[in-house]
Amino acid sequence: MTVSTVFLLACIGVLSLFCQWLAWRVRMPAILFLLAGGIAAGPLLGFLDPEIVFGDLLFPVISLAVAIILFEGSLTLRYDEIRGHGKMVRNLIPVGSIVTCIIGTLAARWILDVSWEVALLFGAISIVTGPTVIAPLLRSVRPDAKLANILRWEGIIIDPVGALLAVLVFEGIVSWGQGNVFSHSLYIFGKTLAVGFLIGAVAGWLNGIALRKHLLPQYLHNAGTLTFMLGVYALSNEMAHESGLLTVTVMGIWMANMKQVPIDSILEFKESLSVLLISALFIILAARVEFEAIAQLGWGLVAVLALLMLVARPASIFLSAIGTSLNWRDKLFLSWIAPRGIVAAAVSALFAFQLQKLGYESAGALVPLIFMLIIATVTLQSLTARPLARLLKVAEPAEYGFLILGANPVARKIGLALKKLEVPVTLADTNWENVKQARMENLQVYFGNPVSEHASTHLDLTGIGNLLVISPYKHMNSLATYHFLDWFGKDSVLTLAEGDQDQKARHQTAEKIQLTRGLFDGVSYAKLASLASQGYTVKTTQLSDEFTFEDFLDKYDHQAMVLFVVNTREHITPVKSMEAIKPEKDWTLVSLVPPQARKERKERDTGESPEQPPEPAPT
C-alpha cells in the first residue's frame, strides 16, 4: 500500500516520541531506542525510505540539524568549567582524544582497509561520548560521587571538543581533495579555518551583545538565536565550502564564555527541539543503515569495536590518571564506561555523504561503523556497568540524600542541618539571589528548573533519592513532584501542605500530588517562612535517658517542630506528623525551634542564674 509523505512524516514524529517515552520509562539513553526504531522502520520492515520521503532535501535537512546539535553542544563549553573539575578531567580531554583517535584510525585502516582519510575521520568521531548517553547511565549505575563527576564532565566537555576535532579533520580532507598540489590544498584548508573562526567569533559576539543589551524582546531570544545561527551557517558555507559547522561551533563557544549573556533559556529551548527535530533525525539516519554494509565489514568490525572498548579506552584512562589519587578500582570502572552518542551519529552520516560525493568509495563504511559503535557501547555498558560497579565496590550505598526544591532561607537552614549530619543534599532554585546566597553558605546548588533537559545532564543526583518541595512556586512544585515521583517513588517525594487560599482554589491539585502532601506536620510554605522571619532556627538535638523527647517538647513549650528524625542506624526520615513520632533514646532530632526556649525566657525575665541543662549542646 502506498502511503503519503505527510503520513510518513507524522509517523516519524510519533515514533520519535514513543522512543523518548520508552527511554524515560526504562531509564536508558534515548538514542538506543531511536536507532532501534529507525532500523525497524527502515531496513527491517521497509516502511520508511528517507531518500524517497525527502528527496533532494534529505541532506540539507540533516546538515541543518547537525549544525543545531553542534551549536547547542558548544554552548555548554565554558573555559572555567574545564579548569575547575580536577586533573583527571583536564587530562582526559587531550590525552583521551589523542589516544582514541590514533587507535581508532589505525584499526579502521589496517583491519577494515578503508582509506586513510576515512580512517582518520572515524578516529576523530569515535572520541565523542556526550551527556545524553552518560547521564541516564550514571543514574542507573550510581557510582561514587568522584567517578560520577569525572564521567559527567568528560561527557559535557568532550561533546563539543570532539565535534570540533571531527569538523577540522573533515575540513582538512575536503580541502586536500580540492587541490592538485600541496600549496593549494593548504590554502583551501587555511581559508576554511579562517572563515570558520572569524565569522563564528563575530557572530557569537554580535548575538551575545544583542542578548546582553536586550536588543531582542525576551520572546525572540530562542527563535532569534536559532534563526541567526542557521543564517550564519549558510553564509559561512557560501564563503568557504563546508566551513559552516566550524563556524556555528565557534559561535556557540564564544557566546558560552561571554559574561552576562542569558543562554540558559536557549539551552532549555533545545528540549522541545530535541523531541521534534533531533529525535526524528536519528530515526531517519538509522532508517538509512543497510544490513549489507554492516555484513560486508565482517569480523573486522568486531575487532575494531573491541580495540576501541578494550584497548583505547583503558589506555586513555590509565595515562590520564598518572599523578591523580584514583586507585585501580576507579581506573578499571572508568575504563569500561565510554558510550557514544548523538553527535557521533549525526556527524558521521553527514560527513560520509559528503565524502562519497568527493569520490571516497570507502566512506560508505563510516556510518555502519559509528552506528555499531554506538549500539555496542550503549547496550553493553548499560547492562554491565551496575554489576561492575558493585564488584569493584565503587557504587554508592543507598540513595539517602535529599534534593530540595527551593534555596530560600528556610530551605537553606534545612540544607545546612542535613549537611552537618553528612547527608548528601542539593538545592535547586530559579531565583538567582537565593542560589547566590546558598553558594555563599557552601551548599551544593543547581540554578535552574530541576525538571529541564539541562538539569538532566548538569544536575548531579549522585547519592540522592528523595525530594523535598520547600518552594513558593506552585507551578514548578507540581512539575517537579510529577517528574520525581517516577524517579524516586511515592514515599520519597514529599511536599508542603497547601495554604487555605490554595485549598479553596477552583483548580484543585491532582490526586497524584495530593498523596505527597503533609511534610513537616502539614505546615504550609507561608507558615514556614513566617516562623523563619520570627527568628526560628533549625537545630540538631541528641536524645538520651537524661533528656527525653518529652523534655525536648517541654523545653520549647511545645512550639518546636521536628523536621527529621535520625535513628541509631543513622537512617534519616522526614517527619509527616508530630503525633506519630515515637523516638527512642540515642535518636537525633532535626527541629525548627523558637528563638528562645521556655526556660531561657524564664531565666531572662526573673534574672535567676541558669541551671545546668539536662540537654547536651545542640550540634
PDB file of all heavy atoms in Angstrom, residues 415-447:
ATOM      1  N   GLY A 415      18.935  22.637  54.618  1.00  0.00           N
ATOM      2  CA  GLY A 415      20.070  22.075  53.902  1.00  0.00           C
ATOM      3  C   GLY A 415      21.339  22.071  54.737  1.00  0.00           C
ATOM      4  O   GLY A 415      22.096  21.091  54.734  1.00  0.00           O
ATOM      5  N   LEU A 416      21.591  23.150  55.482  1.00  0.00           N
ATOM      6  CA  LEU A 416      22.787  23.210  56.328  1.00  0.00           C
ATOM      7  C   LEU A 416      22.722  22.175  57.446  1.00  0.00           C
ATOM      8  O   LEU A 416      23.746  21.552  57.783  1.00  0.00           O
ATOM      9  CB  LEU A 416      22.919  24.617  56.924  1.00  0.00           C
ATOM     10  CG  LEU A 416      23.369  25.716  55.948  1.00  0.00           C
ATOM     11  CD1 LEU A 416      23.256  27.089  56.599  1.00  0.00           C
ATOM     12  CD2 LEU A 416      24.799  25.459  55.478  1.00  0.00           C
ATOM     13  N   ALA A 417      21.517  21.970  58.021  1.00  0.00           N
ATOM     14  CA  ALA A 417      21.383  20.968  59.081  1.00  0.00           C
ATOM     15  C   ALA A 417      21.652  19.566  58.549  1.00  0.00           C
ATOM     16  O   ALA A 417      22.323  18.755  59.202  1.00  0.00           O
ATOM     17  CB  ALA A 417      19.987  21.054  59.693  1.00  0.00           C
ATOM     18  N   LEU A 418      21.138  19.258  57.364  1.00  0.00           N
ATOM     19  CA  LEU A 418      21.388  17.949  56.770  1.00  0.00           C
ATOM     20  C   LEU A 418      22.863  17.774  56.429  1.00  0.00           C
ATOM     21  O   LEU A 418      23.426  16.687  56.589  1.00  0.00           O
ATOM     22  CB  LEU A 418      20.530  17.778  55.516  1.00  0.00           C
ATOM     23  CG  LEU A 418      19.015  17.707  55.730  1.00  0.00           C
ATOM     24  CD1 LEU A 418      18.296  17.674  54.380  1.00  0.00           C
ATOM     25  CD2 LEU A 418      18.649  16.482  56.549  1.00  0.00           C
ATOM     26  N   LYS A 419      23.475  18.836  55.942  1.00  0.00           N
ATOM     27  CA  LYS A 419      24.899  18.751  55.587  1.00  0.00           C
ATOM     28  C   LYS A 419      25.753  18.446  56.811  1.00  0.00           C
ATOM     29  O   LYS A 419      26.731  17.693  56.733  1.00  0.00           O
ATOM     30  CB  LYS A 419      25.337  20.055  54.929  1.00  0.00           C
ATOM     31  CG  LYS A 419      26.774  20.036  54.429  1.00  0.00           C
ATOM     32  CD  LYS A 419      27.139  21.349  53.755  1.00  0.00           C
ATOM     33  CE  LYS A 419      28.600  21.319  53.301  1.00  0.00           C
ATOM     34  NZ  LYS A 419      28.995  22.597  52.649  1.00  0.00           N
ATOM     35  N   LYS A 420      25.389  19.036  57.970  1.00  0.00           N
ATOM     36  CA  LYS A 420      26.143  18.762  59.189  1.00  0.00           C
ATOM     37  C   LYS A 420      26.038  17.294  59.604  1.00  0.00           C
ATOM     38  O   LYS A 420      26.930  16.762  60.271  1.00  0.00           O
ATOM     39  CB  LYS A 420      25.641  19.662  60.323  1.00  0.00           C
ATOM     40  CG  LYS A 420      26.025  21.123  60.149  1.00  0.00           C
ATOM     41  CD  LYS A 420      25.508  21.965  61.299  1.00  0.00           C
ATOM     42  CE  LYS A 420      25.888  23.437  61.106  1.00  0.00           C
ATOM     43  NZ  LYS A 420      25.369  24.295  62.203  1.00  0.00           N
ATOM     44  N   LEU A 421      24.942  16.658  59.217  1.00  0.00           N
ATOM     45  CA  LEU A 421      24.772  15.228  59.501  1.00  0.00           C
ATOM     46  C   LEU A 421      25.407  14.355  58.424  1.00  0.00           C
ATOM     47  O   LEU A 421      25.216  13.135  58.422  1.00  0.00           O
ATOM     48  CB  LEU A 421      23.287  14.889  59.619  1.00  0.00           C
ATOM     49  CG  LEU A 421      22.544  15.504  60.811  1.00  0.00           C
ATOM     50  CD1 LEU A 421      21.047  15.249  60.699  1.00  0.00           C
ATOM     51  CD2 LEU A 421      23.088  14.944  62.126  1.00  0.00           C
ATOM     52  N   GLU A 422      26.145  14.986  57.487  1.00  0.00           N
ATOM     53  CA  GLU A 422      26.829  14.294  56.389  1.00  0.00           C
ATOM     54  C   GLU A 422      25.841  13.586  55.461  1.00  0.00           C
ATOM     55  O   GLU A 422      26.122  12.505  54.930  1.00  0.00           O
ATOM     56  CB  GLU A 422      27.869  13.305  56.922  1.00  0.00           C
ATOM     57  CG  GLU A 422      28.969  13.986  57.723  1.00  0.00           C
ATOM     58  CD  GLU A 422      30.034  13.018  58.180  1.00  0.00           C
ATOM     59  OE1 GLU A 422      29.839  11.797  57.995  1.00  0.00           O
ATOM     60  OE2 GLU A 422      31.055  13.476  58.717  1.00  0.00           O
ATOM     61  N   VAL A 423      24.672  14.193  55.290  1.00  0.00           N
ATOM     62  CA  VAL A 423      23.665  13.691  54.357  1.00  0.00           C
ATOM     63  C   VAL A 423      23.820  14.448  53.042  1.00  0.00           C
ATOM     64  O   VAL A 423      23.845  15.681  53.046  1.00  0.00           O
ATOM     65  CB  VAL A 423      22.244  13.885  54.911  1.00  0.00           C
ATOM     66  CG1 VAL A 423      21.196  13.459  53.892  1.00  0.00           C
ATOM     67  CG2 VAL A 423      22.068  13.111  56.204  1.00  0.00           C
ATOM     68  N   PRO A 424      23.942  13.758  51.902  1.00  0.00           N
ATOM     69  CA  PRO A 424      24.034  14.466  50.612  1.00  0.00           C
ATOM     70  C   PRO A 424      22.798  15.331  50.388  1.00  0.00           C
ATOM     71  O   PRO A 424      21.667  14.864  50.528  1.00  0.00           O
ATOM     72  CB  PRO A 424      24.112  13.330  49.585  1.00  0.00           C
ATOM     73  CG  PRO A 424      24.609  12.142  50.346  1.00  0.00           C
ATOM     74  CD  PRO A 424      24.047  12.297  51.731  1.00  0.00           C
ATOM     75  N   VAL A 425      23.004  16.578  50.063  1.00  0.00           N
ATOM     76  CA  VAL A 425      21.883  17.490  49.859  1.00  0.00           C
ATOM     77  C   VAL A 425      22.225  18.458  48.744  1.00  0.00           C
ATOM     78  O   VAL A 425      23.341  18.967  48.661  1.00  0.00           O
ATOM     79  CB  VAL A 425      21.529  18.240  51.161  1.00  0.00           C
ATOM     80  CG1 VAL A 425      22.718  19.028  51.672  1.00  0.00           C
ATOM     81  CG2 VAL A 425      20.332  19.148  50.962  1.00  0.00           C
ATOM     82  N   THR A 426      21.252  18.682  47.851  1.00  0.00           N
ATOM     83  CA  THR A 426      21.383  19.649  46.763  1.00  0.00           C
ATOM     84  C   THR A 426      20.124  20.498  46.722  1.00  0.00           C
ATOM     85  O   THR A 426      19.013  19.972  46.793  1.00  0.00           O
ATOM     86  CB  THR A 426      21.572  18.945  45.408  1.00  0.00           C
ATOM     87  OG1 THR A 426      22.783  18.191  45.431  1.00  0.00           O
ATOM     88  CG2 THR A 426      21.635  19.960  44.273  1.00  0.00           C
ATOM     89  N   LEU A 427      20.305  21.800  46.620  1.00  0.00           N
ATOM     90  CA  LEU A 427      19.183  22.722  46.500  1.00  0.00           C
ATOM     91  C   LEU A 427      19.036  23.158  45.045  1.00  0.00           C
ATOM     92  O   LEU A 427      20.040  23.329  44.341  1.00  0.00           O
ATOM     93  CB  LEU A 427      19.390  23.949  47.384  1.00  0.00           C
ATOM     94  CG  LEU A 427      19.111  23.814  48.890  1.00  0.00           C
ATOM     95  CD1 LEU A 427      20.066  22.828  49.536  1.00  0.00           C
ATOM     96  CD2 LEU A 427      19.223  25.175  49.581  1.00  0.00           C
ATOM     97  N   ALA A 428      17.810  23.321  44.575  1.00  0.00           N
ATOM     98  CA  ALA A 428      17.551  23.775  43.207  1.00  0.00           C
ATOM     99  C   ALA A 428      16.577  24.941  43.249  1.00  0.00           C
ATOM    100  O   ALA A 428      15.554  24.879  43.934  1.00  0.00           O
ATOM    101  CB  ALA A 428      16.982  22.648  42.353  1.00  0.00           C
ATOM    102  N   ASP A 429      16.906  26.007  42.515  1.00  0.00           N
ATOM    103  CA  ASP A 429      16.053  27.195  42.528  1.00  0.00           C
ATOM    104  C   ASP A 429      16.288  27.977  41.249  1.00  0.00           C
ATOM    105  O   ASP A 429      17.378  27.927  40.665  1.00  0.00           O
ATOM    106  CB  ASP A 429      16.370  28.069  43.748  1.00  0.00           C
ATOM    107  CG  ASP A 429      15.175  28.937  44.158  1.00  0.00           C
ATOM    108  OD1 ASP A 429      14.551  29.527  43.249  1.00  0.00           O
ATOM    109  OD2 ASP A 429      14.892  29.030  45.362  1.00  0.00           O
ATOM    110  N   THR A 430      15.257  28.707  40.810  1.00  0.00           N
ATOM    111  CA  THR A 430      15.383  29.572  39.640  1.00  0.00           C
ATOM    112  C   THR A 430      15.620  31.021  40.034  1.00  0.00           C
ATOM    113  O   THR A 430      15.758  31.876  39.158  1.00  0.00           O
ATOM    114  CB  THR A 430      14.113  29.488  38.774  1.00  0.00           C
ATOM    115  OG1 THR A 430      12.975  29.816  39.577  1.00  0.00           O
ATOM    116  CG2 THR A 430      13.933  28.085  38.209  1.00  0.00           C
ATOM    117  N   ASN A 431      15.655  31.302  41.335  1.00  0.00           N
ATOM    118  CA  ASN A 431      15.913  32.647  41.839  1.00  0.00           C
ATOM    119  C   ASN A 431      17.408  32.806  42.084  1.00  0.00           C
ATOM    120  O   ASN A 431      17.982  32.137  42.947  1.00  0.00           O
ATOM    121  CB  ASN A 431      15.130  32.889  43.131  1.00  0.00           C
ATOM    122  CG  ASN A 431      15.271  34.313  43.643  1.00  0.00           C
ATOM    123  OD1 ASN A 431      16.364  34.790  43.889  1.00  0.00           O
ATOM    124  ND2 ASN A 431      14.140  34.978  43.792  1.00  0.00           N
ATOM    125  N   TRP A 432      18.043  33.704  41.320  1.00  0.00           N
ATOM    126  CA  TRP A 432      19.489  33.834  41.390  1.00  0.00           C
ATOM    127  C   TRP A 432      19.961  34.322  42.758  1.00  0.00           C
ATOM    128  O   TRP A 432      21.007  33.885  43.259  1.00  0.00           O
ATOM    129  CB  TRP A 432      19.998  34.771  40.304  1.00  0.00           C
ATOM    130  CG  TRP A 432      21.463  35.096  40.436  1.00  0.00           C
ATOM    131  CD1 TRP A 432      22.031  36.292  40.689  1.00  0.00           C
ATOM    132  CD2 TRP A 432      22.546  34.163  40.339  1.00  0.00           C
ATOM    133  NE1 TRP A 432      23.401  36.180  40.752  1.00  0.00           N
ATOM    134  CE2 TRP A 432      23.747  34.881  40.547  1.00  0.00           C
ATOM    135  CE3 TRP A 432      22.615  32.783  40.108  1.00  0.00           C
ATOM    136  CZ2 TRP A 432      24.999  34.282  40.520  1.00  0.00           C
ATOM    137  CZ3 TRP A 432      23.864  32.180  40.080  1.00  0.00           C
ATOM    138  CH2 TRP A 432      25.036  32.913  40.281  1.00  0.00           C
ATOM    139  N   GLU A 433      19.216  35.218  43.396  1.00  0.00           N
ATOM    140  CA  GLU A 433      19.623  35.705  44.706  1.00  0.00           C
ATOM    141  C   GLU A 433      19.649  34.578  45.727  1.00  0.00           C
ATOM    142  O   GLU A 433      20.564  34.497  46.556  1.00  0.00           O
ATOM    143  CB  GLU A 433      18.679  36.827  45.166  1.00  0.00           C
ATOM    144  CG  GLU A 433      18.804  38.107  44.357  1.00  0.00           C
ATOM    145  CD  GLU A 433      20.212  38.694  44.408  1.00  0.00           C
ATOM    146  OE1 GLU A 433      20.839  38.639  45.492  1.00  0.00           O
ATOM    147  OE2 GLU A 433      20.687  39.183  43.374  1.00  0.00           O
ATOM    148  N   ASN A 434      18.643  33.702  45.680  1.00  0.00           N
ATOM    149  CA  ASN A 434      18.635  32.549  46.586  1.00  0.00           C
ATOM    150  C   ASN A 434      19.809  31.621  46.299  1.00  0.00           C
ATOM    151  O   ASN A 434      20.462  31.111  47.225  1.00  0.00           O
ATOM    152  CB  ASN A 434      17.323  31.773  46.444  1.00  0.00           C
ATOM    153  CG  ASN A 434      16.148  32.506  47.055  1.00  0.00           C
ATOM    154  OD1 ASN A 434      16.322  33.404  47.873  1.00  0.00           O
ATOM    155  ND2 ASN A 434      14.943  32.135  46.650  1.00  0.00           N
ATOM    156  N   VAL A 435      20.064  31.384  45.022  1.00  0.00           N
ATOM    157  CA  VAL A 435      21.166  30.496  44.641  1.00  0.00           C
ATOM    158  C   VAL A 435      22.497  31.087  45.088  1.00  0.00           C
ATOM    159  O   VAL A 435      23.370  30.374  45.613  1.00  0.00           O
ATOM    160  CB  VAL A 435      21.144  30.264  43.113  1.00  0.00           C
ATOM    161  CG1 VAL A 435      22.418  29.568  42.655  1.00  0.00           C
ATOM    162  CG2 VAL A 435      19.928  29.441  42.723  1.00  0.00           C
ATOM    163  N   LYS A 436      22.677  32.386  44.880  1.00  0.00           N
ATOM    164  CA  LYS A 436      23.935  33.032  45.269  1.00  0.00           C
ATOM    165  C   LYS A 436      24.158  32.937  46.770  1.00  0.00           C
ATOM    166  O   LYS A 436      25.271  32.667  47.234  1.00  0.00           O
ATOM    167  CB  LYS A 436      23.913  34.493  44.820  1.00  0.00           C
ATOM    168  CG  LYS A 436      25.191  35.254  45.113  1.00  0.00           C
ATOM    169  CD  LYS A 436      25.183  36.617  44.434  1.00  0.00           C
ATOM    170  CE  LYS A 436      24.089  37.507  44.982  1.00  0.00           C
ATOM    171  NZ  LYS A 436      24.170  38.887  44.429  1.00  0.00           N
ATOM    172  N   GLN A 437      23.085  33.134  47.547  1.00  0.00           N
ATOM    173  CA  GLN A 437      23.216  33.044  48.999  1.00  0.00           C
ATOM    174  C   GLN A 437      23.545  31.620  49.433  1.00  0.00           C
ATOM    175  O   GLN A 437      24.352  31.412  50.351  1.00  0.00           O
ATOM    176  CB  GLN A 437      21.919  33.515  49.667  1.00  0.00           C
ATOM    177  CG  GLN A 437      22.007  33.638  51.181  1.00  0.00           C
ATOM    178  CD  GLN A 437      23.030  34.673  51.630  1.00  0.00           C
ATOM    179  OE1 GLN A 437      23.154  35.719  51.016  1.00  0.00           O
ATOM    180  NE2 GLN A 437      23.764  34.349  52.686  1.00  0.00           N
ATOM    181  N   ALA A 438      22.931  30.627  48.779  1.00  0.00           N
ATOM    182  CA  ALA A 438      23.224  29.224  49.112  1.00  0.00           C
ATOM    183  C   ALA A 438      24.682  28.884  48.822  1.00  0.00           C
ATOM    184  O   ALA A 438      25.327  28.156  49.595  1.00  0.00           O
ATOM    185  CB  ALA A 438      22.286  28.308  48.336  1.00  0.00           C
ATOM    186  N   ARG A 439      25.208  29.404  47.729  1.00  0.00           N
ATOM    187  CA  ARG A 439      26.617  29.155  47.408  1.00  0.00           C
ATOM    188  C   ARG A 439      27.535  29.811  48.428  1.00  0.00           C
ATOM    189  O   ARG A 439      28.578  29.249  48.794  1.00  0.00           O
ATOM    190  CB  ARG A 439      26.927  29.662  46.003  1.00  0.00           C
ATOM    191  CG  ARG A 439      26.319  28.811  44.897  1.00  0.00           C
ATOM    192  CD  ARG A 439      26.571  29.407  43.522  1.00  0.00           C
ATOM    193  NE  ARG A 439      26.049  28.534  42.468  1.00  0.00           N
ATOM    194  CZ  ARG A 439      26.006  28.860  41.180  1.00  0.00           C
ATOM    195  NH1 ARG A 439      26.460  30.044  40.778  1.00  0.00           N
ATOM    196  NH2 ARG A 439      25.513  28.020  40.295  1.00  0.00           N
ATOM    197  N   MET A 440      27.158  30.980  48.908  1.00  0.00           N
ATOM    198  CA  MET A 440      27.957  31.654  49.927  1.00  0.00           C
ATOM    199  C   MET A 440      27.964  30.856  51.231  1.00  0.00           C
ATOM    200  O   MET A 440      28.927  30.932  52.004  1.00  0.00           O
ATOM    201  CB  MET A 440      27.421  33.061  50.168  1.00  0.00           C
ATOM    202  CG  MET A 440      27.631  34.007  48.994  1.00  0.00           C
ATOM    203  SD  MET A 440      26.879  35.645  49.258  1.00  0.00           S
ATOM    204  CE  MET A 440      27.802  36.200  50.688  1.00  0.00           C
ATOM    205  N   GLU A 441      26.903  30.098  51.468  1.00  0.00           N
ATOM    206  CA  GLU A 441      26.824  29.252  52.658  1.00  0.00           C
ATOM    207  C   GLU A 441      27.401  27.859  52.401  1.00  0.00           C
ATOM    208  O   GLU A 441      27.219  26.940  53.201  1.00  0.00           O
ATOM    209  CB  GLU A 441      25.374  29.151  53.124  1.00  0.00           C
ATOM    210  CG  GLU A 441      24.804  30.497  53.580  1.00  0.00           C
ATOM    211  CD  GLU A 441      23.336  30.411  53.939  1.00  0.00           C
ATOM    212  OE1 GLU A 441      22.797  29.293  53.981  1.00  0.00           O
ATOM    213  OE2 GLU A 441      22.718  31.471  54.181  1.00  0.00           O
ATOM    214  N   ASN A 442      28.081  27.706  51.251  1.00  0.00           N
ATOM    215  CA  ASN A 442      28.790  26.467  50.906  1.00  0.00           C
ATOM    216  C   ASN A 442      27.854  25.270  50.748  1.00  0.00           C
ATOM    217  O   ASN A 442      28.196  24.139  51.088  1.00  0.00           O
ATOM    218  CB  ASN A 442      29.854  26.147  51.953  1.00  0.00           C
ATOM    219  CG  ASN A 442      30.949  25.254  51.396  1.00  0.00           C
ATOM    220  OD1 ASN A 442      31.208  25.233  50.186  1.00  0.00           O
ATOM    221  ND2 ASN A 442      31.584  24.480  52.260  1.00  0.00           N
ATOM    222  N   LEU A 443      26.655  25.535  50.221  1.00  0.00           N
ATOM    223  CA  LEU A 443      25.711  24.470  49.916  1.00  0.00           C
ATOM    224  C   LEU A 443      25.785  24.131  48.430  1.00  0.00           C
ATOM    225  O   LEU A 443      25.982  25.021  47.593  1.00  0.00           O
ATOM    226  CB  LEU A 443      24.285  24.894  50.263  1.00  0.00           C
ATOM    227  CG  LEU A 443      23.935  24.951  51.751  1.00  0.00           C
ATOM    228  CD1 LEU A 443      22.626  25.707  51.958  1.00  0.00           C
ATOM    229  CD2 LEU A 443      23.832  23.548  52.338  1.00  0.00           C
ATOM    230  N   GLN A 444      25.622  22.865  48.108  1.00  0.00           N
ATOM    231  CA  GLN A 444      25.577  22.475  46.698  1.00  0.00           C
ATOM    232  C   GLN A 444      24.225  22.880  46.130  1.00  0.00           C
ATOM    233  O   GLN A 444      23.178  22.552  46.686  1.00  0.00           O
ATOM    234  CB  GLN A 444      25.771  20.965  46.555  1.00  0.00           C
ATOM    235  CG  GLN A 444      25.782  20.498  45.098  1.00  0.00           C
ATOM    236  CD  GLN A 444      26.221  19.053  44.969  1.00  0.00           C
ATOM    237  OE1 GLN A 444      27.127  18.597  45.648  1.00  0.00           O
ATOM    238  NE2 GLN A 444      25.570  18.311  44.079  1.00  0.00           N
ATOM    239  N   VAL A 445      24.238  23.597  45.007  1.00  0.00           N
ATOM    240  CA  VAL A 445      23.006  24.175  44.496  1.00  0.00           C
ATOM    241  C   VAL A 445      23.002  24.105  42.976  1.00  0.00           C
ATOM    242  O   VAL A 445      24.057  24.159  42.331  1.00  0.00           O
ATOM    243  CB  VAL A 445      22.853  25.639  44.990  1.00  0.00           C
ATOM    244  CG1 VAL A 445      23.974  26.513  44.457  1.00  0.00           C
ATOM    245  CG2 VAL A 445      21.502  26.214  44.630  1.00  0.00           C
ATOM    246  N   TYR A 446      21.795  23.958  42.410  1.00  0.00           N
ATOM    247  CA  TYR A 446      21.602  23.985  40.955  1.00  0.00           C
ATOM    248  C   TYR A 446      20.734  25.181  40.617  1.00  0.00           C
ATOM    249  O   TYR A 446      19.638  25.343  41.153  1.00  0.00           O
ATOM    250  CB  TYR A 446      20.938  22.695  40.470  1.00  0.00           C
ATOM    251  CG  TYR A 446      20.545  22.737  39.007  1.00  0.00           C
ATOM    252  CD1 TYR A 446      21.514  22.589  38.013  1.00  0.00           C
ATOM    253  CD2 TYR A 446      19.228  22.960  38.616  1.00  0.00           C
ATOM    254  CE1 TYR A 446      21.174  22.642  36.672  1.00  0.00           C
ATOM    255  CE2 TYR A 446      18.875  23.015  37.276  1.00  0.00           C
ATOM    256  CZ  TYR A 446      19.849  22.846  36.313  1.00  0.00           C
ATOM    257  OH  TYR A 446      19.511  22.912  34.981  1.00  0.00           O
ATOM    258  N   PHE A 447      21.229  26.023  39.713  1.00  0.00           N
ATOM    259  CA  PHE A 447      20.484  27.200  39.295  1.00  0.00           C
ATOM    260  C   PHE A 447      19.694  26.870  38.039  1.00  0.00           C
ATOM    261  O   PHE A 447      20.250  26.697  36.967  1.00  0.00           O
ATOM    262  CB  PHE A 447      21.445  28.363  39.026  1.00  0.00           C
ATOM    263  CG  PHE A 447      20.768  29.610  38.492  1.00  0.00           C
ATOM    264  CD1 PHE A 447      19.595  30.072  39.070  1.00  0.00           C
ATOM    265  CD2 PHE A 447      21.309  30.304  37.427  1.00  0.00           C
ATOM    266  CE1 PHE A 447      18.964  31.212  38.588  1.00  0.00           C
ATOM    267  CE2 PHE A 447      20.697  31.452  36.941  1.00  0.00           C
ATOM    268  CZ  PHE A 447      19.519  31.901  37.525  1.00  0.00           C
TER     269      PHE A 447
END
